[in-house]
Structures are given as structure tokens and as C-alpha cells.
């Protein structure tokens, strides 16, 4: 059996502890904004994450298609996150993906450890928990399973759970359909910037090179949810991120200076604009800061699929058509790998600065 490097959050949660270890307690200035997620989700007042009905994008009618694209553009420009409904992926398939992912996390920990990743050696695919590798030594209240799901020839199926038996088929079908949806959305977002339809997709690697990485996030019940975060505040580095969840609230978006809780919208997929598309659009589309809260009563599970450009092959920079004298480039040219490094470095500097205060 592979021994785990860090204790799994699930083990901590089921050990009967009443107080969480100090590594999981957020800094004081963050604690003031962490409230009860169920109360937060009930709030009707204030801004709400937009819901985009994608039925129009598949329409034969040019006017209906243009209206849907306009709504998508508005949501990408103002929020950078949205609930997608009528997205064309069947409820049945989505349910199979959720059932299979939950069944994996329902296995005993020693079974899951057979799939443990080894972050120290750079092997990030597999079952894991966050290591305290940031300067603040902070941990997040989650375990996860991470693997590449598309293109199919780049997958390592030896790392995929054998149990439950439907895991590989359901996840593969979902990844294929999601890849088609990504093309549709990148096309609409391209047109929204006044570019030709295939432009953004080409810029992020096209069918051969755009990688779809799935991360199943498992947030156990937390005895002190007011002190912890499931995922700390961050923006996604991806081009687009698609998220399913088990209808337990947790996602919060930092919008107009306040944390806004995403409602649980039935049969929807949440889509984030990631840094990659924000850079290419020269900031016209937003990559929004977001985080995940936890709770005492219910386990939360989410399935995030990050659509990422290749690490070295493409230079990410604002597209020349979107740069003018009045609107100079907001981002320097970097490869995707350099962008990730830049963010890590900046975060380390921020953490060190904070610790020195």
C-alpha cells in the first residue's frame, strides 16, 4: 500500500475532532468574510451569477443565435462566470459522472491511496490533498482526484479508478461532449470580440493540443466551517473551466468588492473564463476571483474540468486585433507554463509580505 504524504482531510473529518488543526485556519482578515454557506445561498438581494440558456446557440435562426451570443458576451465581460443551462449534455450522462465520482470517494481511504499522486516528484495525476507548499503553510479543507481526460490519446488510463466500473466510460463520454461544448463556446466568444469564429480555439491549441484536465474536489464536513476554506481565493489559469457539483453550495465569486454565493441551479454546468482567455481578449473577458466554502452538515463534491493550452508551444498575449493606442496590451507575452510560474511567484511574495507584517 502507498503511504500518504499528508493526512487526508477525510481522515481528519471522520476522526471526530471538534477543532480543526491550525494549518487549516484562515488568516484573521479573511475570517470576517466567511459566513454560513446555506444562509448565504438563500440571499435574494444583491448581484447574482448570470444564467445563460444555450438553447439559442444551437438555433437555426440567425437572430436567436446572435441574441444568445450577446448574453454570453455580457456575462463573460461583466462576470467571467455563469450557469449554463440547455447546454446539450444529457442529464443522464451527467448523473453517471457524478455517481461514479462519488462512488470512488466512498471507497475506503486505503483503496483510494492506491491511486495516490506524488507531488514531490512532479506526478500530480491521481488522488491527493494539498501540501503546505505556500509560504503561509496554509492548507485547504479538501481531498481531490486529478487526471487528464482529453485528448484521448494523451490519457493515462492506468491512473483512472477501476472501481466503480462505469467510471472510465462515463467520464470519457462526458469529456468528449464537453470538448464539443468548449468549441461552441469559444466560437461564440470569438465572435463577441469581433474575431473570426475559430480564432480563440486556434489560439489555445485547437483539437489536438487543448488539454482537458478533470479535478474531482471532495470537501468533507468540517467541524469549524467558519474558520476554513475548501479552496482559497484564486483565478483559474485555464482558457475555460466547466464545473458540475452535487447541489451543495460552496462556490463564491468576488464581484464588485463583495463575495457573492453561486446558487445551485439544477441541470446546469458552471463555466468560468480563465486567465488564458482573459489575456487573449486583453482583459475584455474577465477571469474572476473565486473560492470554495465548506460546511458542517453536508459533504460537497465538485467536478471541475480545466481546458488548458499546451504548456510551452503557444505564447499567450493579447491578440493584435484587440490592441490599440487607446487600449495597449495589459499582459506581457508568456507561455502558459511561465504564466503559472508567475502566479506562484507572486503568491509566494504576497504570502511572505503578509507574514512579515
Amino acid at each position: 500500500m502507498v503511504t500518504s504524504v499528508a493526512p487526508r482531510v477525510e481522515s481528519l473529518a471522520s476522526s471526530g475532532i471538534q477543532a480543526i488543526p491550525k494549518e487549516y485556519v484562515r488568516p484573521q482578515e479573511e475570517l470576517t468574510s466567511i459566513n454560513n454557506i446555506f444562509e448565504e445561498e438563500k440571499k435574494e438581494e444583491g448581484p447574482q451569477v448570470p444564467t445563460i440558456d444555450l438553447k439559442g446557440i444551437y438555433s437555426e435562426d440567425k437572430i436567436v443565435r446572435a441574441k444568445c451570443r450577446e448574453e454570453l458576451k455580457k456575462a463573460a465581460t461583466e462576470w467571467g462566470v455563469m450557469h449554463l443551462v440547455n447546454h446539450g449534455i444529457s442529464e443522464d450522462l451527467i448523473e453517471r459522472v457524478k455517481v461514479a465520482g462519488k462512488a470512488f470517494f466512498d471507497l475506503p481511504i486505503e483503496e483510494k491511496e492506491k491511486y495516490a499522486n506524488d507531488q514531490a516528484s512532479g506526478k500530480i495525476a491521481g488522488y491527493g490533498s494539498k501540501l503546505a507548499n505556500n509560504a503561509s503553510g496554509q492548507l485547504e479543507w479538501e481531498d481531490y482526484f486529478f487526471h487528464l481526460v482529453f485528448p484521448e490519446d494523451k490519457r493515462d488510463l492506468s491512473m483512472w479508478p477501476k472501481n466503480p466500473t462505469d467510471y472510465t466510460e462515463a467520464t470519457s463520454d462526458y469529456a468528449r461532449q464537453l470538448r464539443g461544448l468548449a468549441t461552441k463556446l469559444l466560437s461564440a466568444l470569438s465572435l463577441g470580440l469581433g474575431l473570426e469564429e475559430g480564432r480563440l480555439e486556434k489560439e489555445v491549441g485547437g483539437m489536438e493540443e487543448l488539454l482537458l484536465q478533470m479535478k474531482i474536489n471532495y470537501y468533507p464536513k468540517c467541524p469549524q466551517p467558519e474558520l476554513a476554506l475548501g479552496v482559497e481565493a484564486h483565478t483559474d489559469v485555464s482558457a475555460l473551466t466547466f464545473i458540475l457539483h452535487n447541489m451543495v453550495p460552496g462556490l463564491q465569486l468576488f464581484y464588485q468588492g463583495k463575495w457573492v454565493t453561486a446558487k445551485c441551479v439544477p441541470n446546469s454546468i458552471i463555466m468560468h473564463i480563465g486567465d488564458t482567455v482573459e489575456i487573449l481578449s486583453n482583459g475584455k473577458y474577465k477571469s474572476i476571483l473565486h473560492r470554495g466554502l465548506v460546511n458542517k452538515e453536508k459533504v460537497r463534491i465538485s467536478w471541475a474540468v480545466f481546458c488548458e493550452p499546451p504548456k510551452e508551444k503557444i505564447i499567450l498575449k493579447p491578440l493584435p486585433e484587440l490592441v490599440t493606442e487607446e487600449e495597449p496590451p495589459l499582459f506581457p507575452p508568456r507561455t502558459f507554463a511561465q504564466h503559472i510560474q508567475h502566479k506562484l511567484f507572486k503568491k509566494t511574495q504576497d504570502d511572505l509580505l503578509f507574514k512579515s507584517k
Side-chain angles (χ1 to χ4, degrees), residues 8 10-11 14 107-114 127 143:
R8 301 303 176 200
E10 184 189 348
S11 311
S14 56
L107 294 171
I109 286 185
E110 53 273 20
E111 265 307 296
K112 296 192 283 264
E113 288 294 355
K114 293 175 183 170
Y127 174 59
D143 300 322

Side-chain angles (χ1 to χ4, degrees), residues 100-148:
K102 180 180 182 300
F104 172 74
F105 275 97
D106 283 346
L107 294 171
I109 286 185
E110 53 273 20
E111 265 307 296
K112 296 192 283 264
E113 288 294 355
K114 293 175 183 170
Y115 298 94
N117 64 9
D118 181 9
Q119 295 173 57
S121 70
K123 179 178 164 286
I124 52 170
Y127 174 59
S129 311
K130 180 171 176 178
L131 301 181
N133 56 358
N134 52 359
S136 62
Q138 286 251 265
L139 293 173
E140 296 164 320
W141 196 261
E142 71 151 345
D143 300 322
Y144 61 80
F145 190 86
F146 182 81
H147 58 334
L148 184 145

Side-chain angles (χ1 to χ4, degrees), residues 71-88:
E71 286 169 8
L72 190 67
K73 175 185 174 176
K74 186 172 188 286
T77 305
E78 290 178 12
W79 279 83
V81 65
M82 60 207 79
H83 300 283
L84 303 176
V85 295
N86 292 317
H87 42 68

